[in-house]
């Protein structure tokens, strides 16, 4: 099943964009799946659609979470339709986490899952998110997810069920963020769980 998915997994930590105290289709357009090796970790480069999505998750969503020293989004891209530069569509499974730095460990204070469809446009100075079609909560989750993901719904379900990949992507994003922002941390930890070592980030 997993080999049938065409999924780009992006673990993206803000690099130079976020300070220590910041946080938070129609049938005719052809949707191009993002080709990548399974569970490949992809770093966002400056002024890409991934950077724009990361900024949106940090500023528009992460700012609503509880206190913490840093906010680090984690992104799994399920599909991209780039046929319109003024309305690029990026289907993904988006996560936002806020952490407090305690010694050599980032301790998670709050976080959550925000799956859905990002609408991104190319602007003069890069890319920006213009709208976000979020999957609903509770009884609205399944019907809204089916509507938003369409023929990518099975891929979305597979991504949501793959906790191992999600944690690997999350850890890689934290390690990248720590390296780019000069944080001397070696571990990350969720409440009531043992601390987990960060992978080395090149």
């Amino acid at each position: 099943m997993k080999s049938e998915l065409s999924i780009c997994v992006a673990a993206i930590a803000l690099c130079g964009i976020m300070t220590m105290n910041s946080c938070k289709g129609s049938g005719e357009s052809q949707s191009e799946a993002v080709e990548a090796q399974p569970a490949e970790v992809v770093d966002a480069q400056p002024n890409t659609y991934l950077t724009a999505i990361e900024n949106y998750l940090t500023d528009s969503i992460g700012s609503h979470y509880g206190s913490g020293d840093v906010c680090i989004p984690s992104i799994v891209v399920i599909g991209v339709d780039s046929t319109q530069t003024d309305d690029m569509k990026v289907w993904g499974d988006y996560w936002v986490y806020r952490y407090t730095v305690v010694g050599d460990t980032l301790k998670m204070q709050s976080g959550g899952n925000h799956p859905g469809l990002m609408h991104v446009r190319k602007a003069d100075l890069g890319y920006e998110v213009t709208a976000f079609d979020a999957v609903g909560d509770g009884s609205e989750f399944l019907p809204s997810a089916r509507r938003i993901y369409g023929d990518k719904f099975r891929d979305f379900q597979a991504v949501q069920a793959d906790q191992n990949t999600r944690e690997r992507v999350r850890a890689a994003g934290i390690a990248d963020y720590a390296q780019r922002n000069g944080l001397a941390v070696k571990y990350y930890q969720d409440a009531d769980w043992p601390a987990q070592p960060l992978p080395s980030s090149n």
Side-chain angles (χ1 to χ4, degrees):
M1 297 291 291
K2 224 182 266 188
S3 62
E4 297 175 0
L5 299 179
S6 183
I7 299 171
C8 173
V9 179
I12 309 170
L14 291 176
C15 44
I17 300 168
M18 187 174 68
T19 62
M20 282 285 295
N21 291 320
S22 67
C23 186
K24 189 178 178 203
S26 116
E28 290 191 4
S29 67
Q30 294 183 348
S31 174
E32 63 179 74
V34 179
E35 298 274 342
Q37 296 300 317
E40 179 182 359
V41 175
V42 181
D43 286 337
Q45 298 302 313
N47 299 325
T48 69
Y49 71 87
L50 292 175
T51 309
I53 292 172
E54 190 173 46
N55 289 340
Y56 181 87
L57 291 170
T58 301
D59 298 334
S60 298
I61 295 177
S63 59
H64 296 289
Y65 281 97
S67 62
D69 297 325
V70 296
C71 177
I72 307 176
S74 184
I75 299 171
V76 178
V77 174
I78 296 170
V80 177
D81 178 353
S82 59
T83 55
Q84 300 180 49
T85 57
D86 62 341
D87 186 21
M88 181 185 297
K89 298 175 179 66
V90 186
W91 291 266
D93 191 27
Y94 306 112
W95 290 78
V96 175
Y97 301 98
R98 292 193 62 155
Y99 304 89
T100 296
V101 181
V102 180
D104 62 358
T105 304
L106 283 173
K107 299 203 172 195
M108 206 260 282
Q109 301 299 310
S110 57
N113 185 210
H114 301 271
L117 169 62
M118 295 280 183
H119 296 266
V120 183
R121 78 175 183 94
K122 187 167 175 43
D124 293 339
L125 299 177
Y127 292 81
E128 62 184 10
V129 173
T130 59
F132 178 43
D133 300 336
V135 172
D137 295 326
S139 63
E140 290 298 312
F141 183 86
L142 279 178
S144 62
R146 290 182 186 278
R147 182 180 68 254
I148 289 168
Y149 289 98
D151 59 3
K152 301 170 184 60
F153 178 68
R154 287 185 182 273
D155 290 352
F156 166 65
Q157 286 184 306
V159 165
Q160 285 247 308
D162 190 352
Q163 183 176 356
N164 289 336
T165 294
R166 182 165 62 249
E167 282 303 303
R168 191 184 67 80
V169 169
R170 176 187 172 196
I174 297 170
D176 184 68
Y177 176 89
Q179 182 184 57
R180 294 179 190 241
N181 290 276
L183 292 182
V185 293
K186 299 178 181 178
Y187 305 93
Y188 70 103
Q189 184 175 21
D190 294 342
D192 301 322
W193 287 89
Q196 299 297 317
L198 291 174
S200 59
S201 181
N202 297 322

